Amino acid sequence: MYNLTQEYDKYTEEDFLVWKLLYQRQSVLLQNMASKEFIHGMEEMHFNADKIPDFNHVNKVLANTTGWQIEVVPGLIPDKDFFELLANKKFPSSTWLRKLENLDYLEEPDMFHDCFAHMPLLSEQFFVDYLQEISKIALKHIDDALAIELIGRVYWFTVEFGLIQQENGIRIYGAGILSSSGESIYCLGDKSNRLPFNVKDMMEKHYYKDHFQDRYYVINSYKDLFDAIPEIESLLEQALKSIPHEKNIYATPLDLIL
Ligand code: HBI
Ligand code: FE
């Protein structure tokens, strides 16, 4: 689709330093905060502070687990391309790293977000099956902005900002949190709003891109995500029938009449 490759020998000293600093800060923090499958995936991919991951190696690990592959993209890509890749078991990832001066936050996801935070879970079968199925639903409605907004919300509150109940407590699996030290601490703290996994609730209100989430949803297993696919599809279809499309859905929190 984009015909790009990871030009590994072009990484600079600064890139390796940025990777090292971000990796060291997050990996210490996440030992007791990330889901056990995320930690396991990081180990399987041999992620470490001293080496920017080589996608060829990640692809070998994935070929032996879920069969997914990494597709190099320049950065944020159009929804159609994005969902088309995911529906075909290809995870889109940038290859550039943020600069030292904006270590803590950047607008667009860089490789630390796409690789460190997203890739370890691509070896978890129920998770990638969910990712693939939700993308197939999105493709069926790819020309309907309302549908993509609603699917985008479910994607956001699971793949990017999801939490999971595990034996030793609530743990993080959402990549948007896993690549943010501040939000990793906040989402498990006593000020954050943690709710049981609920697709209808996820669809009903918009989400914020530029500050901590006002709510997080907790699954009990990745199978919960996969099992929710039929409900996601039927709720979406109900919503598309019952909401007048000319309504400006981006203006205010959308209280769906479902
Ligand atoms: N493109 N590379 C990339 N990565 C994303 O996470 C991404 C995207 N395009 C669209 C998008 N995410 C969101 O709008 C999804 O909710 C569709
Ligand atoms: Fe992401």
Side-chain angles (χ1 to χ4, degrees), residues 218-236:
V218 186
I219 58 175
N220 290 310
S221 72
Y222 299 103
K223 190 172 179 303
D224 286 356
L225 295 174
F226 181 70
D227 291 347
I229 287 293
E231 183 193 6
I232 292 168
E233 185 139 43
S234 66
L235 276 176
L236 184 69

mmCIF file of all heavy atoms in Angstrom, residues 218-236:
data_model
loop_
_atom_site.group_PDB
_atom_site.id
_atom_site.type_symbol
_atom_site.label_atom_id
_atom_site.label_comp_id
_atom_site.label_asym_id
_atom_site.label_seq_id
_atom_site.Cartn_x
_atom_site.Cartn_y
_atom_site.Cartn_z
ATOM 1 N N VAL A 218 -13.087 -1.222 31.643
ATOM 2 C CA VAL A 218 -12.308 -2.379 32.109
ATOM 3 C C VAL A 218 -12.908 -3.679 31.580
ATOM 4 O O VAL A 218 -14.063 -3.997 31.884
ATOM 5 C CB VAL A 218 -12.275 -2.422 33.656
ATOM 6 C CG1 VAL A 218 -11.337 -3.538 34.140
ATOM 7 C CG2 VAL A 218 -11.837 -1.073 34.232
ATOM 8 N N ILE A 219 -12.146 -4.415 30.792
ATOM 9 C CA ILE A 219 -12.601 -5.750 30.338
ATOM 10 C C ILE A 219 -12.096 -6.771 31.338
ATOM 11 O O ILE A 219 -11.198 -6.493 32.134
ATOM 12 C CB ILE A 219 -12.050 -6.086 28.922
ATOM 13 C CG1 ILE A 219 -10.512 -6.037 28.895
ATOM 14 C CG2 ILE A 219 -12.649 -5.178 27.872
ATOM 15 C CD1 ILE A 219 -9.899 -6.488 27.556
ATOM 16 N N ASN A 220 -12.657 -8.000 31.278
ATOM 17 C CA ASN A 220 -12.171 -9.093 32.135
ATOM 18 C C ASN A 220 -11.242 -10.016 31.377
ATOM 19 O O ASN A 220 -10.474 -10.768 31.978
ATOM 20 C CB ASN A 220 -13.350 -9.869 32.729
ATOM 21 C CG ASN A 220 -14.088 -9.007 33.756
ATOM 22 O OD1 ASN A 220 -13.466 -8.429 34.644
ATOM 23 N ND2 ASN A 220 -15.394 -8.874 33.573
ATOM 24 N N SER A 221 -11.345 -9.950 30.037
ATOM 25 C CA SER A 221 -10.437 -10.771 29.215
ATOM 26 C C SER A 221 -10.470 -10.199 27.794
ATOM 27 O O SER A 221 -11.416 -9.500 27.424
ATOM 28 C CB SER A 221 -10.932 -12.222 29.175
ATOM 29 O OG SER A 221 -12.109 -12.274 28.359
ATOM 30 N N TYR A 222 -9.455 -10.542 26.990
ATOM 31 C CA TYR A 222 -9.451 -10.055 25.598
ATOM 32 C C TYR A 222 -10.576 -10.725 24.819
ATOM 33 O O TYR A 222 -11.079 -10.197 23.838
ATOM 34 C CB TYR A 222 -8.087 -10.336 24.941
ATOM 35 C CG TYR A 222 -6.955 -9.646 25.656
ATOM 36 C CD1 TYR A 222 -6.102 -10.357 26.509
ATOM 37 C CD2 TYR A 222 -6.779 -8.275 25.562
ATOM 38 C CE1 TYR A 222 -5.099 -9.719 27.200
ATOM 39 C CE2 TYR A 222 -5.765 -7.619 26.260
ATOM 40 C CZ TYR A 222 -4.939 -8.358 27.085
ATOM 41 O OH TYR A 222 -3.954 -7.722 27.790
ATOM 42 N N LYS A 223 -11.020 -11.876 25.319
ATOM 43 C CA LYS A 223 -12.151 -12.551 24.659
ATOM 44 C C LYS A 223 -13.422 -11.695 24.775
ATOM 45 O O LYS A 223 -14.252 -11.679 23.866
ATOM 46 C CB LYS A 223 -12.376 -13.934 25.297
ATOM 47 C CG LYS A 223 -13.366 -14.818 24.544
ATOM 48 C CD LYS A 223 -13.408 -16.235 25.111
ATOM 49 C CE LYS A 223 -14.416 -17.122 24.379
ATOM 50 N NZ LYS A 223 -15.795 -16.573 24.389
ATOM 51 N N ASP A 224 -13.528 -10.897 25.845
ATOM 52 C CA ASP A 224 -14.676 -9.971 25.986
ATOM 53 C C ASP A 224 -14.752 -9.062 24.760
ATOM 54 O O ASP A 224 -15.823 -8.742 24.261
ATOM 55 C CB ASP A 224 -14.495 -9.060 27.204
ATOM 56 C CG ASP A 224 -14.711 -9.781 28.529
ATOM 57 O OD1 ASP A 224 -15.081 -10.980 28.500
ATOM 58 O OD2 ASP A 224 -14.480 -9.155 29.579
ATOM 59 N N LEU A 225 -13.588 -8.635 24.279
ATOM 60 C CA LEU A 225 -13.559 -7.731 23.109
ATOM 61 C C LEU A 225 -14.086 -8.472 21.882
ATOM 62 O O LEU A 225 -14.975 -8.006 21.181
ATOM 63 C CB LEU A 225 -12.122 -7.244 22.843
ATOM 64 C CG LEU A 225 -11.459 -6.376 23.903
ATOM 65 C CD1 LEU A 225 -9.997 -6.119 23.525
ATOM 66 C CD2 LEU A 225 -12.205 -5.048 24.068
ATOM 67 N N PHE A 226 -13.542 -9.653 21.684
ATOM 68 C CA PHE A 226 -13.921 -10.427 20.484
ATOM 69 C C PHE A 226 -15.404 -10.787 20.546
ATOM 70 O O PHE A 226 -16.131 -10.653 19.565
ATOM 71 C CB PHE A 226 -13.062 -11.689 20.380
ATOM 72 C CG PHE A 226 -13.367 -12.512 19.166
ATOM 73 C CD1 PHE A 226 -13.016 -12.060 17.897
ATOM 74 C CD2 PHE A 226 -14.065 -13.711 19.287
ATOM 75 C CE1 PHE A 226 -13.328 -12.794 16.758
ATOM 76 C CE2 PHE A 226 -14.380 -14.455 18.151
ATOM 77 C CZ PHE A 226 -14.012 -14.000 16.885
ATOM 78 N N ASP A 227 -15.885 -11.155 21.740
ATOM 79 C CA ASP A 227 -17.302 -11.545 21.882
ATOM 80 C C ASP A 227 -18.252 -10.353 21.702
ATOM 81 O O ASP A 227 -19.440 -10.539 21.469
ATOM 82 C CB ASP A 227 -17.540 -12.172 23.274
ATOM 83 C CG ASP A 227 -16.870 -13.533 23.407
ATOM 84 O OD1 ASP A 227 -16.438 -14.083 22.359
ATOM 85 O OD2 ASP A 227 -16.745 -14.031 24.541
ATOM 86 N N ALA A 228 -17.717 -9.144 21.807
ATOM 87 C CA ALA A 228 -18.574 -7.949 21.691
ATOM 88 C C ALA A 228 -18.794 -7.523 20.237
ATOM 89 O O ALA A 228 -19.593 -6.615 19.961
ATOM 90 C CB ALA A 228 -17.947 -6.785 22.468
ATOM 91 N N ILE A 229 -18.120 -8.191 19.301
ATOM 92 C CA ILE A 229 -18.211 -7.780 17.884
ATOM 93 C C ILE A 229 -19.677 -7.759 17.384
ATOM 94 O O ILE A 229 -20.120 -6.751 16.817
ATOM 95 C CB ILE A 229 -17.320 -8.674 17.004
ATOM 96 C CG1 ILE A 229 -15.830 -8.328 17.233
ATOM 97 C CG2 ILE A 229 -17.674 -8.561 15.522
ATOM 98 C CD1 ILE A 229 -15.405 -6.931 16.757
ATOM 99 N N PRO A 230 -20.478 -8.801 17.627
ATOM 100 C CA PRO A 230 -21.879 -8.762 17.136
ATOM 101 C C PRO A 230 -22.655 -7.575 17.731
ATOM 102 O O PRO A 230 -23.386 -6.883 17.030
ATOM 103 C CB PRO A 230 -22.456 -10.097 17.603
ATOM 104 C CG PRO A 230 -21.284 -10.984 17.816
ATOM 105 C CD PRO A 230 -20.164 -10.104 18.273
ATOM 106 N N GLU A 231 -22.418 -7.295 19.011
ATOM 107 C CA GLU A 231 -23.131 -6.171 19.651
ATOM 108 C C GLU A 231 -22.666 -4.835 19.050
ATOM 109 O O GLU A 231 -23.476 -3.941 18.777
ATOM 110 C CB GLU A 231 -22.876 -6.187 21.160
ATOM 111 C CG GLU A 231 -23.645 -5.106 21.913
ATOM 112 C CD GLU A 231 -23.154 -4.913 23.359
ATOM 113 O OE1 GLU A 231 -22.144 -5.541 23.746
ATOM 114 O OE2 GLU A 231 -23.796 -4.111 24.066
ATOM 115 N N ILE A 232 -21.373 -4.719 18.799
ATOM 116 C CA ILE A 232 -20.849 -3.479 18.184
ATOM 117 C C ILE A 232 -21.537 -3.250 16.831
ATOM 118 O O ILE A 232 -22.033 -2.164 16.543
ATOM 119 C CB ILE A 232 -19.314 -3.571 18.002
ATOM 120 C CG1 ILE A 232 -18.617 -3.574 19.367
ATOM 121 C CG2 ILE A 232 -18.789 -2.416 17.126
ATOM 122 C CD1 ILE A 232 -17.143 -3.943 19.316
ATOM 123 N N GLU A 233 -21.616 -4.323 16.065
ATOM 124 C CA GLU A 233 -22.232 -4.206 14.726
ATOM 125 C C GLU A 233 -23.707 -3.835 14.826
ATOM 126 O O GLU A 233 -24.173 -2.932 14.138
ATOM 127 C CB GLU A 233 -22.062 -5.526 13.965
ATOM 128 C CG GLU A 233 -22.575 -5.437 12.537
ATOM 129 C CD GLU A 233 -21.688 -6.143 11.523
ATOM 130 O OE1 GLU A 233 -21.240 -7.286 11.839
ATOM 131 O OE2 GLU A 233 -21.417 -5.555 10.465
ATOM 132 N N SER A 234 -24.453 -4.478 15.737
ATOM 133 C CA SER A 234 -25.903 -4.197 15.777
ATOM 134 C C SER A 234 -26.161 -2.808 16.370
ATOM 135 O O SER A 234 -26.997 -2.059 15.861
ATOM 136 C CB SER A 234 -26.648 -5.279 16.558
ATOM 137 O OG SER A 234 -26.260 -5.245 17.899
ATOM 138 N N LEU A 235 -25.382 -2.410 17.377
ATOM 139 C CA LEU A 235 -25.574 -1.058 17.934
ATOM 140 C C LEU A 235 -25.268 -0.002 16.874
ATOM 141 O O LEU A 235 -25.954 1.004 16.744
ATOM 142 C CB LEU A 235 -24.655 -0.852 19.142
ATOM 143 C CG LEU A 235 -25.164 -1.366 20.481
ATOM 144 C CD1 LEU A 235 -24.092 -1.174 21.550
ATOM 145 C CD2 LEU A 235 -26.453 -0.662 20.899
ATOM 146 N N LEU A 236 -24.233 -0.264 16.092
ATOM 147 C CA LEU A 236 -23.861 0.693 15.043
ATOM 148 C C LEU A 236 -25.005 0.831 14.041
ATOM 149 O O LEU A 236 -25.423 1.939 13.692
ATOM 150 C CB LEU A 236 -22.590 0.208 14.339
ATOM 151 C CG LEU A 236 -22.020 1.139 13.289
ATOM 152 C CD1 LEU A 236 -21.456 2.390 13.935
ATOM 153 C CD2 LEU A 236 -20.929 0.460 12.476
#
